[in-house]
Amino acid sequence: MAATALHPAGRALRSRRRRSTLRTLGFLSPWLIGFAVFFVYPLVSTVYFSFMKYDGFAPPTWVGLKNWSYVFNDYPFFWPALRNTLWLVAVMVSLRVLFGIGIGLLITKIKTGAGVFRTLFYLPYLAPPVAATMSFVFLLNPGTGPANTILEGIGLPAPGWFTDPAWSKPSLTILALWGIGDLMVIFMAALLDVPKEQYEAAELDGARAWQRFRYVTLPNISPIVLFAVVTGVIATMQYYTEPLVAAKVASGVIGGSGQQFEPGYPDRTTLTVPQTVHNLGFQRFDTGAACVVGLVLFTLAMAFTAFLMRRRSGFMSAED
């Protein structure tokens, strides 16, 4: 009798749960559709084509691991591009975060004209990447650029900048530091949100400027530092436009039909992994090998992000 009486109640409970699940899926459906169309399908297709010989015209044919072997053993641009990309991740991201914090601190300490300085530091970030890169290459031109003229005028050595393999990546880093306005804004917001009472308590305890920054400022802005590092790593792993434009302008190949250009000028030092994807997929029409490089890039970005998230205790305080 009891089991018979509970049976309709159990069915009603299951019905309510089913309706709740369907309602939840209905609310999530826009995100689920977007996730499936713009992430799952491209990722599965990339894995599929990485084992195929496909030029975009003829039907794909199975070749197994030949694409992977070609990229890792025979493709001449992959390893230089990977080394350059890792160098930019280590150096460019670190310096951008440090400069962003430093400029944010500077602006928050200025009593007069803070709005003017804030605007001046933020404006370069709004410059189109292609125009900004071309301007930088011309400014740093070793023969006619004003940068070397000023350096020689004050008795300092004048580097070759984008035409010198030893200076090409540092030149790209300087360009990235020039457009530091995005990080400046988010660090300023975080710095202004630090409780003043903590600074006052630290001063009463005799803490100096560095100690106040180390034990008060940094723990409070650590989530923003983590955000800046993670997004910076992901963006640098996709670094494409600036090094490509800089290499073309510095080598004299600015545009025009019929011009041949080998990416990475000078001496493959501005070559990045996304450039090899374009070179393989759209210049050599080797879609399978391009998918291999794309998967390597995706794996590296995910690995860096997972490592940083697991090590977030180094960025965030225990309370976070």
Side-chain angles (χ1 to χ4, degrees):
M1 293 289 293
T4 304
L6 288 174
H7 185 63
R11 285 188 297 179
L13 179 61
R14 287 195 297 272
S15 178
R16 286 197 299 271
R17 287 177 177 174
R18 185 164 50 251
R19 288 196 300 271
S20 177
T21 301
L22 292 174
R23 189 183 306 112
T24 303
L25 289 175
F27 283 114
L28 289 174
S29 59
W31 181 86
L32 292 173
I33 293 172
F35 180 75
V37 172
F38 297 108
F39 181 78
V40 176
Y41 173 72
L43 181 60
V44 172
S45 298
T46 303
V47 174
Y48 169 76
F49 284 115
S50 70
F51 298 102
M52 298 287 176
K53 179 178 177 58
Y54 182 53
D55 60 3
F57 302 99
T61 57
W62 177 266
V63 294
L65 296 175
K66 287 185 178 179
N67 291 326
W68 294 81
S69 176
Y70 170 71
V71 168
F72 290 127
N73 299 320
D74 301 319
Y75 182 54
F77 294 151
F78 176 72
W79 291 110
L82 184 61
R83 287 193 294 268
N84 294 335
T85 300
L86 294 178
W87 188 97
L88 292 170
V89 167
V91 177
M92 183 185 293
V93 175
S94 301
L95 290 179
R96 274 179 56 84
V97 172
L98 291 175
F99 270 66
I101 295 174
I103 295 175
L105 282 169
L106 177 65
I107 298 298
T108 56
K109 300 299 182 183
I110 294 177
K111 302 299 183 182
T112 304
V116 175
F117 285 102
R118 186 165 57 242
T119 303
L120 291 175
F121 278 113
Y122 185 74
L123 280 177
Y125 174 70
L126 301 178
V130 174
T133 305
M134 293 181 67
S135 301
F136 246 74
V137 174
F138 285 120
L139 288 172
L140 299 180
N141 186 291
T144 60
N148 279 6
T149 302
I150 296 173
L151 291 175
E152 291 172 351
I154 59 178
L156 294 177
W161 303 111
F162 289 103
T163 61
D164 185 351
W167 278 92
S168 56
K169 288 192 289 291
S171 301
L172 289 172
T173 304
I174 295 172
L175 172 60
L177 295 178
W178 177 70
I180 199 70
D182 56 334
L183 290 185
M184 178 202 70
V185 169
I186 64 172
F187 279 125
M188 277 182 55
L191 290 166
L192 292 173
D193 199 42
V194 178
K196 294 182 179 180
E197 296 80 5
Q198 296 185 14
Y199 286 121
E200 295 171 356
E203 290 179 1
L204 290 175
D205 289 339
R208 297 181 179 180
W210 166 249
Q211 293 172 321
R212 292 196 298 271
F213 174 79
R214 171 65 181 85
Y215 297 106
V216 178
T217 304
L218 198 55
N220 278 281
I221 67 170
S222 55
I224 307 302
V225 175
L226 177 62
F227 169 81
V229 172
V230 171
T231 56
V233 167
I234 294 173
T236 308
M237 295 293 292
Q238 303 173 28
Y239 201 46
Y240 175 81
T241 303
E242 290 85 345
L244 181 65
V245 173
K248 282 192 172 186
V249 177
S251 65
V253 183
I254 300 179
S257 60
Q259 289 181 309
Q260 297 296 322
F261 173 72
E262 181 178 285
Y265 178 87
D267 196 23
R268 301 178 183 175
T269 54
T270 58
L271 189 66
T272 60
V273 176
Q275 290 184 47
T276 63
V277 177
H278 180 271
N279 176 257
L280 286 167
F282 298 99
Q283 293 179 315
R284 303 188 180 207
F285 298 101
D286 192 346
T287 303
C291 288
V292 171
V293 179
L295 288 174
V296 172
L297 184 63
F298 171 78
T299 303
L300 286 175
M302 293 295 292
F304 272 114
T305 304
F307 173 77
L308 291 170
M309 295 302 293
R310 286 182 62 86
R311 300 290 299 176
R312 63 184 181 274
S313 58
F315 296 93
M316 302 174 68
S317 59
E319 290 79 4
D320 296 322

